[in-house]
């Protein structure tokens, strides 16, 4: 069956046509990064307006790239939560309009479950149950993927997400938005031992994250050295930051894997594109004899293919949206 997937939760308007979830026939992404860059982050009002302008063209291109028309599509999947509310509403209303006009089924998709599904596209051997770290600009979750549509969140961030920590530290270092990828590039040439950065202790749930202390430490270090007129080596600081974030993400995921008895691990979300994160997971999983699944770089960030893929599984599970479907800025993966 053919699914049209639509994604508009943040600053990417994206659409994709997939056949049976994992065979991607098209994947169109219209990014607004350039426009938000001058403000140092996503401006929600601008994001909503751009989605509104772009969504029709993006969906049309996804259909034509796939060599399909709306008539060929069996269901429309759309991200309805979580994300920027005005941005989500554009995708949700567009998908609802398509479905109401054509009589096709509407399938709501949780954005985080979409990131998790990105790994099924590249790795046909990956099957639940397994443990997945989802690290993006807004979320850092350790998730038990019990089935294709059933999730248990066993660890979450208490404050900033890993991507947010990358981006805010990058901004303080003078890198353009979004800074994660710039930290990644700079880190390749740096010495991670040149700086010793704190590893926040989280009391309570041992699988939870906290990145705000690390962010504050980096920002304070930069401000203090600026006041003293001392030049900070950005490559070294990037390497130290990337190394610390990667270690924390991997350590907590491995703790959860051991405690819960998983030896199949996946990583997903924008931060899974980070070379330090990929490297430490590859090394650690090889040492432990665990199977590791990482999305291809093209599917780490927000895209419509992951929504079409998860939409396929949601469709098979009988999940449908009706004309009252609403967008939700926050919604736990466990409450879908
Ligand atoms: O999943 P995503 O595209 O959007 C959200 O759902 O938030 O994740 C975006 C996040 C941003 O914080 C971005 O800086 C980060 O992923 N990111 C990276 C890299 N590529 C994207 N962080 C570190 N290293 C990268 N190579
Ligand atoms: Zn995302």
């Amino acid at each position: 069956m053919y699914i049209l997937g639509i994604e508009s939760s943040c600053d990417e308007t994206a659409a994709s046509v997939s056949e049976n979830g994992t065979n991607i026939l098209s994947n169109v992404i219209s990014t607004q990064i350039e426009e938000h860059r001058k403000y140092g982050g996503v401006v929600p009002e601008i994001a909503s307006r751009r989605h509104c302008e772009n969504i029709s063209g993006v969906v049309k291109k996804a259909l034509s790239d796939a060599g399909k028309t709306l008539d060929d599509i069996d269901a429309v999947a759309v991200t309805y939560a979580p994300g920027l509310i005005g941005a989500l509403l554009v995708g949700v209303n567009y998908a609802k309009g398509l479905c109401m006009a054509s009589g096709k089924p509407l399938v709501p998709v949780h954005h985080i479950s979409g990131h998790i599904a990105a790994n099924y596209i590249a790795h046909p051997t990956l099957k639940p149950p397994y443990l997945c770290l989802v690290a993006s600009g807004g979320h850092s979750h350790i998730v038990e993927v019990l089935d294709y549509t059933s999730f248990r969140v066993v660890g979450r961030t208490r404050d900033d997400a890993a991507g947010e920590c990358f981006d805010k530290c990058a901004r303080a270092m003078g890198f353009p938005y979004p800074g994660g990828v710039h930290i990644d590039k700079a880190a390749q040439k740096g010495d991670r031992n040149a700086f010793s950065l704190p590893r926040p202790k989280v009391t309570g749930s041992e699988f939870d994250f906290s990145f705000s202390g690390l962010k504050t430490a980096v920002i304070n270090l930069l401000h203090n050295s600026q006041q003293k007129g001392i030049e900070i080596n950005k490559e070294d600081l990037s390497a130290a930051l990337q190394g610390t974030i990667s270690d924390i993400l991997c350590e907590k995921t491995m703790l959860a894997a051991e405690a819960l008895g998983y030896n199949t691990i996946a990583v997903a979300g924008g931060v899974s594109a980070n070379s330090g994160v990929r490297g430490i997971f590859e090394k650690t999983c090889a040492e432990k004899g665990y199977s590791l699944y990482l999305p291809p770089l093209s599917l780490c960030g927000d895209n419509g293919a992951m929504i079409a893929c998860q939409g396929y599984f949601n469709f098979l599970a009988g999940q449908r949206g009706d004309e009252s479907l609403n967008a939700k800025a926050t919604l736990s993966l466990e409450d879908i």
Side-chain angles (χ1 to χ4, degrees):
M1 67 177 295
Y2 296 111
I3 307 255
L4 170 66
I6 297 176
E7 155 66 37
S8 72
S9 66
C10 190
D11 58 350
E12 259 97 36
T13 320
S16 163
V17 175
S18 83
E19 184 187 8
N20 297 332
T22 50
N23 181 21
I24 301 307
L25 305 183
S26 65
N27 194 18
V28 180
I29 303 173
S30 166
T31 182
Q32 308 168 5
I33 280 178
E34 281 305 325
E35 192 164 3
H36 295 290
R37 187 165 280 158
K38 50 182 179 273
Y39 304 101
V42 178
V43 182
E45 167 95 18
I46 294 176
S48 311
R49 289 167 188 266
R50 293 300 163 262
H51 286 309
C52 197
E53 289 164 7
N54 294 336
I55 196 155
S56 247
V58 166
V59 168
K60 276 186 193 154
K61 185 157 175 17
L63 288 168
S64 71
D65 283 2
K68 303 287 172 205
T69 67
L70 189 57
D71 282 348
D72 301 314
I73 299 298
D74 297 297
V76 179
V78 65
T79 307
Y80 75 114
L84 301 172
I85 192 68
L88 287 163
L89 280 168
V90 176
V92 166
N93 276 314
Y94 192 86
K96 271 162 82 169
L98 280 183
C99 291
M100 297 306 121
S102 63
K104 297 191 189 288
L106 175 66
V107 184
V109 174
H110 190 285
H111 183 77
I112 305 290
S113 70
H115 275 301
I116 292 171
N119 270 311
Y120 300 130
I121 298 168
H123 308 294
T125 53
L126 175 63
K127 290 187 170 54
Y130 61 93
L131 194 70
C132 186
L133 168 75
V134 189
S136 69
H139 300 87
S140 300
H141 281 359
I142 299 175
V143 181
E144 277 187 274
V145 183
L146 305 168
D147 205 337
Y148 291 97
T149 57
S150 173
F151 309 94
R152 196 163 81 91
V153 180
V154 295
R156 48 176 63 75
T157 184
R158 299 277 178 91
D159 39 59
D160 293 353
E164 203 176 343
C165 183
F166 268 118
D167 293 345
K168 290 193 173 148
C169 293
R171 189 177 175 174
M173 281 191 243
F175 291 121
Y177 173 83
V181 67
H182 299 282
I183 298 266
D184 197 345
K185 271 190 206 138
Q188 323 272 329
K189 298 183 213 139
D191 168 15
R192 71 165 288 185
N193 297 314
F195 294 97
S196 165
L197 297 174
R199 296 204 183 187
K201 276 226 172 312
V202 185
T203 49
S205 169
E206 55 180 333
F207 312 138
D208 278 359
F209 299 103
S210 166
F211 288 107
S212 76
L214 175 60
K215 172 193 72 183
T216 308
V218 168
I219 292 173
N220 286 346
L221 196 145
L222 287 160
H223 284 172
N224 289 342
S225 56
Q226 213 173 19
Q227 277 163 2
K228 291 180 191 147
I230 301 167
E231 183 92 19
I232 286 274
N233 182 317
K234 285 187 198 169
E235 292 169 350
D236 288 347
L237 186 56
S238 294
L241 175 66
Q242 177 167 302
T244 306
I245 293 177
S246 305
D247 283 354
I248 294 169
L249 291 173
C250 189
E251 273 167 24
K252 294 268 175 174
T253 309
M254 294 306 142
L255 260 181
E258 253 161 61
L260 300 165
Y262 287 96
N263 55 17
T264 301
I265 310 289
V267 186
V271 176
S272 64
N274 183 267
S275 62
V277 171
R278 296 174 86 90
I280 188 76
F281 270 90
E282 275 162 357
K283 181 171 171 282
T284 310
C285 286
E287 281 166 7
K288 289 182 179 288
Y290 290 175
S291 305
L292 173 69
Y293 295 88
L294 297 168
L297 293 182
S298 59
L299 295 176
C300 291
D302 293 346
N303 63 84
M306 68 188 200
I307 302 304
C309 180
Q310 184 60 35
Y312 171 73
F313 293 115
N314 289 359
F315 180 89
L316 294 186
Q319 296 179 17
R320 303 286 185 273
D322 62 19
E323 51 205 69
S324 69
L325 179 69
N326 202 353
K328 291 190 175 73
T330 54
L331 178 71
S332 166
L333 198 49
E334 290 169 341
D335 295 336
I336 49 179

